[in-house]
Amino acid sequence: MLPPVLTIDGPSGSGKGTIVQLVAQKLGWHMLDSGALYRLVAFGSQNNQLSLNNEDDIADYASNLDVEFKLFNVKPVAEKGQHSQELRIILEGNVVGVELRTEATGNAASKVAAMPKVRQALFQRQRDFRQNPGLVADGRDMGTTIFPDAKVKVFLTASAEERAQRRYKQLKDKGISGNLAALLRDINERDERDSQRSASPLKPAEDAVIIDTSDLSIEQVVEQVLAICKKGFDV
Ligand code: C5P
């Protein structure tokens, strides 16, 4: 039997990244950040002087993407005697960090993500993350295209204004400066591009549970998702 998968899809800023991490930790399951793959393709292509308009070149780069996701034990958590873990992304031998999370890389990612050949090139790589004891998959098309047979599917949404606010705060916390109005404009543009594209557009799977997170705390969303998992997977 294939390992279980929980898919969590939704637009940028819907809180997915944080929720997926917390839920994966609680369940003790693996995690797939599919957005990071599109960001890596965009970032790496640009570093290798490939034109973001050349679908064949970008798809070729995506098929041979040289990336490793490594978990490192960092700061000990004294009271629990545990170590918190940090994910390091190594692209072509170099650790990539904040540069992957900038708005510029996000926008470039959304452009390469609209290319069907690029999506095809990353298809199997994403499915290979499905390993025991289970996988929490974060993206736009996890429940519709990559893992259509997932037993539990969640779609997170939030208003564009709320998502721009969250993004602003997130960037600030990472030491990256942002402009709220520009962030809102970027979010609207990216939503438009992600939901209008012909290849795997951003939309909830028919069997997904939709959660509007605009007025919910992170803890409340995690609780709701875990409750849905409890019913769906018996975990
Ligand atoms: O989630 P994140 O903001 O890192 O994703 C960056 C971009 O990658 C998104 O705007 C979207 O265009 C694209 N993406 C996608 N399909 C996924 C994950 C991300 O098209 N499964």
Side-chain angles (χ1 to χ4, degrees):
M1 223 182 40
L2 283 168
V5 185
L6 159 66
T7 61
I8 304 190
D9 288 304
S12 26
S14 55
K16 275 179 309 147
T18 315
I19 306 297
V20 166
Q21 258 183 26
L22 291 170
V23 170
Q25 236 169 48
K26 284 259 183 206
L27 296 173
W29 288 8
H30 301 281
M31 214 179 81
L32 163 61
D33 173 1
S34 61
L37 289 175
Y38 290 99
R39 284 173 184 265
L40 283 160
V41 168
F43 180 73
S45 300
Q46 286 173 312
N47 276 354
N48 285 285
Q49 270 81 48
L50 300 177
S51 157
L52 287 191
N53 297 319
N54 190 328
E55 180 166 353
D56 285 328
D57 279 1
I58 309 281
D60 191 44
Y61 179 77
S63 332
N64 298 300
L65 190 66
D66 170 12
V67 66
E68 264 184 285
F69 293 89
K70 276 194 175 168
L71 272 178
F72 281 82
N73 283 333
V74 286
K75 301 175 241 121
V77 182
E79 68 277 18
K80 292 196 179 140
Q82 290 174 347
H83 286 76
S84 71
Q85 291 193 313
E86 184 186 289
L87 181 72
R88 292 211 190 134
I89 303 178
I90 301 151
L91 178 67
E92 293 162 21
N94 299 309
V95 176
V96 277
V98 287
E99 57 273 47
L100 208 59
R101 301 290 157 196
T102 62
E103 285 307 291
T105 306
N107 283 326
S110 144
K111 282 184 193 138
V112 302
M115 299 171 169
K117 288 181 187 168
V118 172
R119 303 199 74 84
Q120 188 53 41
L122 294 178
F123 181 76
Q124 193 54 43
R125 191 186 282 258
Q126 294 174 82
R127 288 173 60 105
D128 291 343
F129 278 78
R130 187 173 195 166
Q131 308 237 345
N132 277 318
L135 175 70
V136 185
D138 164 348
R140 305 291 188 290
D141 61 342
M142 298 295 100
T144 50
T145 307
I146 309 295
F147 303 110
D149 63 326
K151 215 164 160 199
V152 178
K153 300 178 184 178
V154 170
F155 192 88
L156 299 181
T157 60
S159 68
E161 288 71 22
E162 173 64 26
R163 289 188 281 131
Q165 285 281 1
R166 288 178 187 170
R167 192 89 189 108
Y168 180 74
K169 190 172 171 299
Q170 212 177 42
L171 288 173
K172 207 170 147 200
D173 290 347
K174 285 186 180 150
I176 306 171
S177 63
N179 170 303
L180 196 55
L183 285 174
L184 180 59
R185 197 190 53 227
D186 278 357
I187 281 192
N188 282 324
E189 271 177 21
R190 216 186 305 167
D191 280 1
E192 174 80 13
R193 194 161 45 227
D194 288 351
S195 43
Q196 297 306 317
R197 68 178 177 225
S198 55
S200 293
L202 168 67
K203 66 160 195 244
E206 276 175 19
D207 47 350
V209 179
I210 300 175
I211 304 176
D212 185 334
T213 69
S214 303
D215 299 316
L216 298 177
S217 67
I218 290 171
E219 293 73 25
Q220 286 172 318
V221 181
V222 169
E223 234 170 72
Q224 287 197 19
V225 174
L226 288 174
I228 298 166
C229 287
K230 204 163 194 158
K231 269 202 228 148
F233 296 120
D234 203 18
V235 284

